[in-house]
């Protein structure tokens, strides 16, 4: 099957990634979405949900390191961490590298994503058995509403903001997140590509600014995602997040204290980009 092509169906991107694949290892339908794992000679195994690539074995470390280590190093003592989505386990693996973390709650609506990841993506789904982990299969939007002052860091690693993931990018959701965070709490969410999804980035940033006193945006280059240059939006209840507060001791491939600082756009560029003054 060497020259079979898998075409990604990102509903927003103006391009379509087309991956040569050597095999379809799994294809099924859960209550929530279509789930596939395909094998690519270059990317290794790729998890695909509703036709959109979520993570691949070759480059997943970049996305997962930046999603986890930027907020955890910007926090003085991240003991309680909530991950919404993230059923592949990649963010969880990185979060648990921090010895400060006493409890990591992972709330993915779809238990089949977790099961498929454990079976086919063992390098990502390595941390589910850690005694600090609690896994729940619920809607993250509803889950977070039950808590007040509970978490130090909340990471939203969800699918694109369509269907049941859309609510995770609304102002109402950010108000619930704000309430569920402790005094020095930090929220981070993946907010799509800077070029191809700029209106989504702006909408999310505007909503965050209505809720959090400190809002920022950082980026990482992820070779498997449409547009490559990916954004992560931050809302912080107290402190700026551009500098790591604690010494970086975790073992990583790319993230470092310098990379943390470089991940943030220059303030003037960031402000123009988000306000709409600057247009690509
Ligand atoms: N890194 C990936 C990306 O951006 O391409 C995201 C990976 S992770 C597998 C996304 C997960 O978010 C999926 O497993 C999906 O089930 C979960 N998800 C989407 N909406 C959710 C919601 N409202 N509550 C909880 N989990 C949700």
């Amino acid at each position: 099957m060497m020259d079979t092509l898998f075409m990604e169906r990102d509903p927003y991107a103006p391009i379509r990634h087309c991956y040569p694949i050597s095999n379809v290892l799994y294809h099924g339908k859960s209550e929530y979405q279509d789930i596939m794992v395909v094998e690519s000679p270059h990317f290794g195994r790729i998890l695909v949900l509703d036709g959109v690539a979520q993570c691949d074995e070759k480059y997943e470390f970049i996305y997962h390191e930046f999603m986890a280590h930027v907020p955890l190093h910007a926090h003085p003592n991240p003991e309680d961490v909530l991950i919404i989505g993230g059923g592949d386990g990649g963010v969880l693996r990185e979060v648990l590298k921090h010895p400060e973390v006493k409890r990591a709650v992972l709330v993915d609506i779809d238990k089949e994503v977790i099961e498929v990841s454990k079976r086919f993506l063992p390098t990502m789904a390595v941390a589910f058995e850690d005694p600090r982990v609690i896994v729940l299969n619920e809607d993250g939007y509803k889950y977070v509403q039950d808590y007040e002052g509970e978490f130090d860091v909340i990471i939203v690693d969800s699918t694109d903001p369509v269907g049941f993931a859309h609510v995770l990018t609304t102002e109402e959701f950010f108000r619930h997140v704000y309430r569920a965070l402790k005094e020095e709490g930090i929220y981070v969410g993946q907010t799509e590509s800077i070029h191809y999804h700029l209106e989504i980035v702006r909408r999310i940033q505007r909503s965050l600014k209505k809720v959090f006193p400190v809002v920022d945006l950082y980026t990482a280059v992820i070779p498997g995602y449409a547009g490559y240059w990916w954004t992560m939006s931050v809302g912080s209840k107290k402190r700026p997040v551009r500098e790591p507060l604690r010494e970086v001791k975790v073992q990583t491939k790319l993230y470092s204290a310098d990379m943390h600082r470089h991940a943030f756009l220059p303030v003037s560029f960031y402000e123009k980009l988000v306000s709409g003054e600057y247009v690509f």
Side-chain angles (χ1 to χ4, degrees), residues 32-33 47 49 52-55 63-64 84-88 107-110 113-114 117 138-141 157-160 164-168 190 192 225 230:
Y32 297 97
Q33 53 210 335
L47 173 67
L49 298 178
V52 181
Q54 303 293 308
C55 43
Y63 176 82
H64 294 131
I84 294 180
D88 50 69
V107 180
D108 195 303
I109 201 165
D110 194 343
V113 173
I114 298 176
S117 301
E138 295 175 28
D139 184 342
Y141 182 83
D157 179 22
S158 73
T159 37
D160 296 335
F164 53 86
H166 175 75
V167 287
L168 303 176
Q190 76 90 0
E192 311 285 300
Y225 289 173
W230 214 249

Coordinates of all heavy atoms in Angstrom, one line a residue, residues 32-33 47 49 52-55 63-64 84-88 107-110 113-114 117 138-141 157-160 164-168 190 192 225 230, ligand 1:
Y32 N -18.7 9.9 19.6 CA -18.4 11.3 19.4 C -17.8 11.6 18.0 O -18.0 12.7 17.4 CB -17.5 11.9 20.5 CG -18.2 11.8 21.8 CD1 -17.9 10.8 22.7 CD2 -19.2 12.8 22.1 CE1 -18.6 10.7 23.9 CE2 -19.8 12.7 23.4 CZ -19.6 11.7 24.2 OH -20.2 11.6 25.4
Q33 N -16.9 10.7 17.5 CA -16.2 11.0 16.3 C -15.6 9.8 15.6 O -15.6 8.7 16.2 CB -15.0 12.0 16.7 CG -14.1 11.4 17.9 CD -13.5 12.5 18.7 OE1 -13.3 13.6 18.3 NE2 -13.2 12.1 20.0
L47 N -2.6 10.0 14.7 CA -4.0 9.9 15.2 C -4.8 10.9 14.4 O -4.5 12.1 14.4 CB -4.0 10.2 16.7 CG -5.4 10.3 17.3 CD1 -6.1 8.9 17.3 CD2 -5.3 10.8 18.7
L49 N -8.8 12.4 14.0 CA -10.1 12.4 14.5 C -11.0 13.2 13.5 O -10.6 14.4 13.2 CB -10.2 13.1 15.9 CG -9.4 12.3 17.0 CD1 -9.4 13.1 18.3 CD2 -9.9 10.9 17.1
V52 N -9.1 14.9 10.8 CA -8.1 15.9 11.1 C -7.0 15.3 11.9 O -7.3 14.6 12.9 CB -8.7 17.1 11.8 CG1 -7.6 18.1 12.1 CG2 -9.9 17.7 11.0
A53 N -5.7 15.4 11.4 CA -4.6 14.9 12.1 C -4.4 15.6 13.5 O -4.5 16.8 13.6 CB -3.3 15.0 11.3
Q54 N -4.3 14.8 14.5 CA -4.2 15.3 15.9 C -2.7 15.3 16.4 O -2.3 16.3 17.1 CB -5.0 14.5 16.9 CG -6.4 14.3 16.5 CD -7.2 15.6 16.6 OE1 -7.1 16.3 17.7 NE2 -7.8 16.0 15.6
C55 N -2.0 14.3 16.1 CA -0.6 14.2 16.6 C 0.0 13.1 15.8 O -0.6 12.1 15.4 CB -0.5 14.0 18.1 SG -1.7 12.8 18.7
Y63 N 4.7 19.9 20.1 CA 3.4 20.4 20.6 C 3.2 20.1 22.1 O 2.8 21.0 22.9 CB 2.3 19.7 19.8 CG 0.9 20.0 20.2 CD1 0.3 21.2 19.8 CD2 0.2 19.1 21.0 CE1 -1.0 21.5 20.2 CE2 -1.1 19.4 21.4 CZ -1.7 20.6 21.0 OH -3.0 20.8 21.4
H64 N 3.5 18.9 22.5 CA 3.2 18.5 23.9 C 4.1 19.2 24.9 O 3.7 19.6 26.0 CB 3.2 17.0 24.0 CG 2.1 16.3 23.3 ND1 2.3 15.3 22.4 CD2 0.8 16.6 23.2 CE1 1.1 14.9 21.9 NE2 0.2 15.8 22.3
I84 N -8.0 19.2 29.8 CA -9.3 18.9 29.1 C -9.0 18.5 27.7 O -8.3 19.2 26.9 CB -10.2 20.2 29.1 CG1 -10.6 20.4 30.6 CG2 -11.5 19.9 28.3 CD1 -11.5 21.6 30.8
G85 N -9.5 17.4 27.3 CA -9.1 16.8 26.0 C -7.8 15.9 26.2 O -7.7 15.3 27.3
G86 N -6.9 16.0 25.3 CA -5.6 15.3 25.5 C -5.6 13.8 25.6 O -4.7 13.3 26.2
G87 N -6.6 13.2 25.0 CA -6.8 11.7 25.2 C -5.7 10.9 24.7 O -5.5 9.7 25.0
D88 N -4.8 11.5 23.8 CA -3.6 10.7 23.4 C -2.6 10.5 24.4 O -1.7 9.7 24.3 CB -3.0 11.4 22.1 CG -2.8 12.9 22.3 OD1 -1.9 13.2 23.1 OD2 -3.5 13.7 21.7
V107 N -9.6 15.1 31.6 CA -11.0 14.9 31.2 C -11.2 14.9 29.7 O -11.2 16.0 29.1 CB -11.9 16.1 31.8 CG1 -13.4 15.9 31.5 CG2 -11.7 16.2 33.4
D108 N -11.3 13.8 29.1 CA -11.5 13.7 27.7 C -12.9 13.1 27.5 O -13.2 12.0 28.1 CB -10.5 12.8 27.0 CG -10.5 13.0 25.4 OD1 -11.6 12.8 24.8 OD2 -9.5 13.4 24.9
I109 N -13.7 13.7 26.7 CA -15.1 13.3 26.5 C -15.2 11.9 25.9 O -16.2 11.2 26.2 CB -15.8 14.3 25.6 CG1 -17.3 14.3 25.7 CG2 -15.4 14.2 24.1 CD1 -18.0 15.5 25.1
D110 N -14.1 11.5 25.2 CA -14.2 10.2 24.4 C -13.2 9.2 24.9 O -12.0 9.3 24.6 CB -13.9 10.6 22.9 CG -14.3 9.5 22.0 OD1 -14.5 8.4 22.4 OD2 -14.4 9.8 20.8
V113 N -10.8 7.4 22.4 CA -9.5 8.0 21.9 C -8.4 7.5 22.9 O -7.3 7.2 22.4 CB -9.6 9.5 22.0 CG1 -8.3 10.2 21.7 CG2 -10.7 10.0 20.9
I114 N -8.7 7.5 24.2 CA -7.7 7.0 25.1 C -7.4 5.5 24.9 O -6.2 5.2 24.8 CB -8.2 7.2 26.6 CG1 -8.5 8.7 26.8 CG2 -7.3 6.6 27.6 CD1 -9.1 9.1 28.2
S117 N -5.3 5.2 21.7 CA -4.0 5.7 21.9 C -3.1 4.8 22.7 O -1.9 4.6 22.4 CB -4.0 7.1 22.6 OG -4.8 8.0 21.9
E138 N -15.8 12.8 30.4 CA -16.9 13.8 30.5 C -16.7 14.9 29.6 O -15.6 15.1 29.1 CB -17.0 14.3 31.9 CG -17.3 13.3 33.0 CD -17.2 14.0 34.4 OE1 -17.4 15.2 34.5 OE2 -16.9 13.3 35.3
D139 N -17.7 15.7 29.4 CA -17.5 17.0 28.7 C -16.8 18.0 29.6 O -17.2 18.3 30.7 CB -18.9 17.5 28.3 CG -18.8 18.8 27.5 OD1 -17.8 19.4 27.4 OD2 -19.8 19.1 26.9
G140 N -15.6 18.4 29.1 CA -14.8 19.3 29.9 C -15.5 20.6 30.2 O -15.3 21.3 31.3
Y141 N -16.4 21.1 29.4 CA -17.2 22.3 29.6 C -18.0 22.2 30.8 O -18.1 23.0 31.7 CB -18.0 22.6 28.4 CG -18.8 23.9 28.5 CD1 -18.2 25.1 28.2 CD2 -20.1 23.9 28.9 CE1 -18.9 26.3 28.3 CE2 -20.9 25.1 29.1 CZ -20.2 26.3 28.7 OH -20.9 27.4 28.9
D157 N -6.4 20.8 25.6 CA -5.8 20.2 24.4 C -6.9 19.5 23.7 O -7.1 18.3 23.7 CB -4.8 19.2 24.9 CG -4.1 18.5 23.7 OD1 -4.1 19.0 22.6 OD2 -3.6 17.4 24.0
S158 N -7.7 20.3 23.0 CA -8.9 19.8 22.4 C -8.8 19.7 20.9 O -7.8 20.3 20.3 CB -10.1 20.7 22.8 OG -10.1 21.9 22.1
T159 N -9.8 19.1 20.3 CA -9.9 19.1 18.8 C -10.2 20.5 18.4 O -10.5 21.4 19.2 CB -11.0 18.1 18.4 OG1 -12.0 18.1 19.4 CG2 -10.4 16.7 18.4
D160 N -10.3 20.7 17.1 CA -10.5 22.1 16.5 C -11.9 22.6 17.0 O -12.8 21.8 17.3 CB -10.6 22.0 15.0 CG -9.2 21.7 14.4 OD1 -8.2 21.9 15.1 OD2 -9.2 21.1 13.3
F164 N -18.5 19.5 19.3 CA -18.5 19.5 20.8 C -17.3 20.2 21.4 O -17.2 20.4 22.6 CB -18.7 18.1 21.4 CG -17.8 17.1 20.8 CD1 -16.5 16.9 21.4 CD2 -18.1 16.3 19.7 CE1 -15.7 16.0 20.9 CE2 -17.2 15.4 19.2 CZ -16.0 15.2 19.8
A165 N -16.3 20.5 20.6 CA -15.1 21.2 21.1 C -15.3 22.7 21.1 O -14.5 23.5 21.7 CB -13.9 20.8 20.4
H166 N -16.2 23.2 20.3 CA -16.4 24.7 20.1 C -16.6 25.4 21.5 O -16.0 26.4 21.7 CB -17.6 25.0 19.2 CG -17.8 26.4 19.1 ND1 -17.0 27.3 18.4 CD2 -18.8 27.2 19.7 CE1 -17.5 28.5 18.5 NE2 -18.5 28.5 19.3
V167 N -17.4 24.8 22.4 CA -17.7 25.4 23.7 C -16.4 25.7 24.5 O -16.5 26.6 25.3 CB -18.7 24.6 24.5 CG1 -20.1 24.6 23.9 CG2 -18.2 23.1 24.7
L168 N -15.4 25.0 24.2 CA -14.1 25.2 24.9 C -13.4 26.4 24.5 O -12.3 26.7 25.0 CB -13.2 23.9 24.8 CG -13.8 22.6 25.2 CD1 -12.9 21.4 24.9 CD2 -14.2 22.6 26.7
Q190 N -4.8 25.2 23.0 CA -4.3 25.3 21.7 C -5.3 26.1 20.9 O -6.5 25.9 20.9 CB -4.0 23.9 21.1 CG -5.3 23.1 20.7 CD -5.7 23.3 19.3 OE1 -5.0 24.0 18.5 NE2 -6.7 22.7 18.9
E192 N -5.0 27.0 17.3 CA -4.9 26.9 15.9 C -3.7 27.7 15.3 O -2.9 28.3 16.0 CB -6.2 27.3 15.2 CG -7.5 26.6 15.8 CD -7.6 25.1 15.4 OE1 -7.7 24.9 14.2 OE2 -7.6 24.3 16.3
Y225 N 0.9 20.1 11.4 CA -0.4 20.9 11.5 C -0.5 21.9 10.3 O 0.5 22.5 10.0 CB -0.5 21.7 12.8 CG -0.7 20.8 14.0 CD1 -0.6 21.4 15.3 CD2 -0.9 19.5 13.9 CE1 -0.8 20.6 16.5 CE2 -1.1 18.7 15.1 CZ -1.1 19.3 16.3 OH -1.3 18.5 17.4
W230 N 1.9 27.3 14.9 CA 0.8 27.1 15.8 C 0.7 28.0 17.0 O 1.8 28.4 17.5 CB 0.8 25.6 16.3 CG -0.6 25.0 16.4 CD1 -1.2 24.7 17.5 CD2 -1.5 24.7 15.3 NE1 -2.5 24.2 17.2 CE2 -2.7 24.2 15.9 CE3 -1.4 24.8 13.9 CZ2 -3.8 23.8 15.1 CZ3 -2.5 24.4 13.2 CH2 -3.7 23.9 13.8
Ligands
LIG1 N1 -3.3 18.0 19.8 C1 -4.5 17.8 19.2 C2 -4.8 18.8 18.1 O1 -4.9 19.9 18.4 O2 -4.8 18.4 16.9 C3 -5.6 17.5 20.1 C4 -5.4 16.1 20.6 S1 -6.6 15.4 21.7 C5 -6.7 13.8 21.0 C6 -8.1 16.2 21.4 C7 -9.2 15.5 22.3 O3 -10.1 16.5 22.7 C8 -10.0 14.4 21.7 O4 -9.7 13.2 22.2 C9 -11.5 14.8 22.0 O5 -12.3 13.7 22.4 C10 -11.3 15.8 23.1 N2 -12.4 16.8 23.3 C11 -13.0 17.6 22.4 N3 -14.0 18.3 22.9 C12 -14.0 18.0 24.2 C13 -14.8 18.4 25.3 N4 -15.8 19.3 25.1 N5 -14.6 17.9 26.5 C14 -13.6 17.0 26.7 N6 -12.8 16.5 25.7 C15 -13.0 17.0 24.5

